[in-house]
Amino acid sequence: MTALQLLAYIATAIGLQCLLAIAILIWRKRTTVAEHAVPVVSARTSEAAWDGLRAFQVTARTYEDLAHTQCTLALAPVDNAPLPPFKPGQFLTFSLAVDGPQMPTRVTRCYSLSDTPDPDQYRITVKRALAPPDKPDAPAGIASGWLHDQVRIGTLLDVRAPSGQFIFVDDPKSPPVFIAGGIGITPILSMLKAALADQPERAAHLFYGVRNSQDHAFKTDLRQLADVHPGLALHILYADPTAQDVQGQDHDLPGFISLDLLKQTLPYGRHAFYICGPDPMMKALIPALLGWGVADADIHRESFGPQTAAPRPVASPVAGPTLAIRFRRSGRTLDWAGRDANLLDFAEHNSIAVDAGCRGGSCGTCETRLISGRVQYAAKPEFDISPGHCLLCVATPTTALELDA
Ligand SMILES: Cc1cc2nc3c(=O)[nH]c(=O)nc-3n(C[C@H](O)[C@H](O)[C@H](O)COP(=O)(O)OP(=O)(O)OC[C@H]3O[C@@H](n4cnc5c(N)ncnc54)[C@H](O)[C@@H]3O)c2cc1C
């Protein structure tokens, strides 16, 4: 080999190495950009989340109960970017384009995440809301009916990031007692699974009350959890067992979850209670637990809307001086005379359209800029309100107001 040939080989080798280095640099830069592009870090919570609505596609759909009243939807993001983890117990807020002759075109509703975090998909479980028994002629629930009847695999849904303060907080000094009534099982199941995944041997109780085997959701999943985790004590109660329901097989006890049952079942000592269920259950159990001496801080609770609003105090209507409330974008000024429980009710009663979700201070959908004036809250809202804003669903005015609505 001549010196010239050797030089050419060396030059070619150096050139190839340079090309390789450039390719690696470009590849690294692209990966970094992709990692930084999503998920967006929310300024408000400092957790990974996204702002506004994100499109999700329904990827699976299955019923959880024999009566087919509780439907699980698996949701994958259309942008295929990994999903931020949520805290078990949190919920998603949906802006749903429901259709139909007598329906509004968009409604906002919250649905709890019913499984543990998964970077590829979220899961919710929706109970079909029927007309109340004392008002059988009332229209059935809009959003839940639409999700059951119209949504199929492939349907796109607009979703806000997970939120909510009803979350599992692990404390070795107070073992968890999960209490669910009906569809209140959704956040409870997410918490229970996460708690057991974290510490498979931990002691935990689940009290789950349903009507009977027809609406007993997640039956197989719960039995499997109890089989795998010997520290989990399951207590399934049927309020109205069918003739075919077998105690000891389908359910453990007839009747409702009561303080007496908790006293008989739970070992002596401090416990952390996590409760989600219908209004009568919450109204009966929470005061009973407090009366038993359980600290308020040890009773974590969630209600699924104004019809089950017992646990969270809302400012009660009070008569007082009339206050002028200006809705700037609607161009209207109205007199607040203390007849409405909150500013959201007040706006709606006066036909001012305001987007609202949970109606209990949790989801932040009705957060509105407070241009001037002051409001009050009967209890600190769960949602972390931005400076200069207020949450209409739980706020009442203490002065004249100007709202950006
Ligand atoms: C934080 C949070 C988490 C939630 N998680 C879940 C969950 O995991 N799963 C779930 O299924 N739900 C959950 N919900 C409840 C859910 O958001 C909806 O409230 C529920 O699906 C009912 O909505 P809808 O549009 O179907 O009913 P709506 O149309 O809002 O009606 C509600 C009820 O009022 C009745 N009604 C309608 N009009 C009248 C009238 N004129 N007179 C009397 N009654 C009337 C309806 O028949 C229905 O029973 C959650 C709520 C919150 C706040």
Side-chain angles (χ1 to χ4, degrees):
M1 183 186 294
T2 63
L4 202 62
Q5 278 173 325
L6 185 64
L7 204 64
Y9 278 129
I10 291 170
T12 313
I14 291 172
L16 281 174
Q17 274 185 348
C18 287
L19 277 175
L20 191 67
I22 289 167
I24 287 171
L25 268 177
I26 291 172
W27 176 78
R28 277 199 183 152
K29 194 160 186 217
R30 281 212 176 142
T31 315
T32 315
V33 168
E35 279 168 0
H36 281 225
V38 281
V40 175
V41 174
S42 156
R44 178 171 299 158
T45 60
S46 78
E47 294 160 19
W50 63 90
D51 286 329
L53 296 168
R54 183 168 172 185
F56 280 72
Q57 188 168 43
V58 176
T59 54
R61 196 178 177 284
T62 174
Y63 290 106
E64 300 295 351
D65 59 340
L66 294 177
H68 286 194
T69 60
Q70 293 160 81
C71 180
T72 281
L73 301 175
L75 308 165
V78 170
D79 58 23
N80 281 325
L83 291 172
F86 60 89
K87 293 179 182 153
Q90 289 191 310
F91 59 87
L92 297 173
T93 303
F94 292 75
S95 175
L96 301 170
V98 299
D99 44 22
Q102 285 160 4
M103 289 183 182
T105 50
R106 262 197 189 263
V107 294
T108 305
R109 296 287 185 275
C110 307
Y111 291 100
S112 302
L113 289 143
S114 59
D115 207 348
T116 41
D118 174 341
D120 296 327
Q121 62 170 21
Y122 287 144
R123 183 179 88 164
I124 60 162
T125 306
V126 179
K127 167 111 180 165
R128 187 192 282 278
L130 300 174
D134 58 333
K135 287 193 181 163
D137 297 333
I142 294 173
S144 59
W146 184 80
L147 287 164
H148 271 253
D149 298 333
Q150 307 295 330
V151 167
R152 295 284 171 264
I153 291 175
T155 302
L156 297 183
L157 301 174
D158 291 328
V159 185
R160 288 185 201 277
S163 59
Q165 299 301 320
F166 180 57
I167 52 174
F168 177 63
V169 185
D170 201 1
D171 179 356
K173 290 197 288 292
S174 48
V177 176
F178 298 105
I179 302 178
I183 192 62
I185 188 67
T186 50
I188 296 287
L189 180 60
S190 176
M191 291 189 201
L192 175 67
K193 287 180 82 170
L196 292 172
D198 187 42
Q199 275 184 46
E201 305 300 324
R202 80 161 69 232
H205 287 262
L206 171 64
F207 294 85
Y208 175 31
V210 291
R211 195 169 43 98
N212 53 43
S213 54
Q214 290 299 300
D215 50 11
H216 182 169
F218 304 109
K219 191 173 180 178
T220 313
D221 299 19
L222 289 171
R223 285 279 163 223
Q224 278 172 358
L225 273 181
D227 289 345
V228 175
H229 301 281
L232 169 63
L234 268 190
H235 314 274
I236 308 289
L237 284 91
Y238 284 2
D240 184 18
T242 67
Q244 288 73 43
D245 290 343
V246 180
Q247 188 174 339
Q249 190 176 308
D250 299 297
H251 63 300
D252 302 301
L253 289 167
F256 296 96
I257 304 165
S258 65
L259 181 64
D260 281 346
L261 175 65
L262 299 177
K263 282 181 174 173
Q264 287 159 20
T265 318
L266 298 176
Y268 178 78
R270 192 178 156 197
H271 299 278
F273 292 88
Y274 293 86
I275 308 182
C276 186
D279 199 22
M281 188 185 104
M282 307 293 273
K283 275 188 173 148
L285 272 185
I286 291 170
L289 285 170
L290 291 168
W292 190 26
V294 178
D296 194 41
D298 285 339
I299 307 176
H300 309 262
R301 61 203 86 162
E302 174 135 283
S303 75
F304 276 180
Q307 62 277 44
T308 56
R312 295 202 188 285
V314 175
S316 38
V318 278
T322 301
L323 301 169
I325 312 295
R326 175 155 174 75
F327 293 88
R328 190 167 73 169
R329 274 188 283 139
S330 312
R332 294 179 59 195
T333 302
L334 300 160
D335 285 339
W336 169 273
R339 279 191 289 273
D340 290 288
N342 53 64
L343 282 163
L344 177 63
D345 285 358
F346 178 65
E348 288 177 346
H349 288 157
N350 288 289
S351 305
I352 291 173
V354 179
D355 206 6
C358 68
R359 308 185 78 98
S362 302
C363 74
T365 308
C366 67
E367 188 185 57
T368 301
R369 193 157 72 84
L370 183 57
I371 300 165
S372 65
R374 283 194 307 275
V375 298
Q376 66 179 3
Y377 303 97
K380 187 177 180 298
E382 274 186 18
F383 185 77
D384 188 9
I385 305 169
S386 308
H389 289 67
C390 66
L391 267 195
L392 297 184
C393 69
V394 282
T396 52
T398 55
T399 65
L401 303 178
E402 185 169 10
L403 295 164
D404 192 17

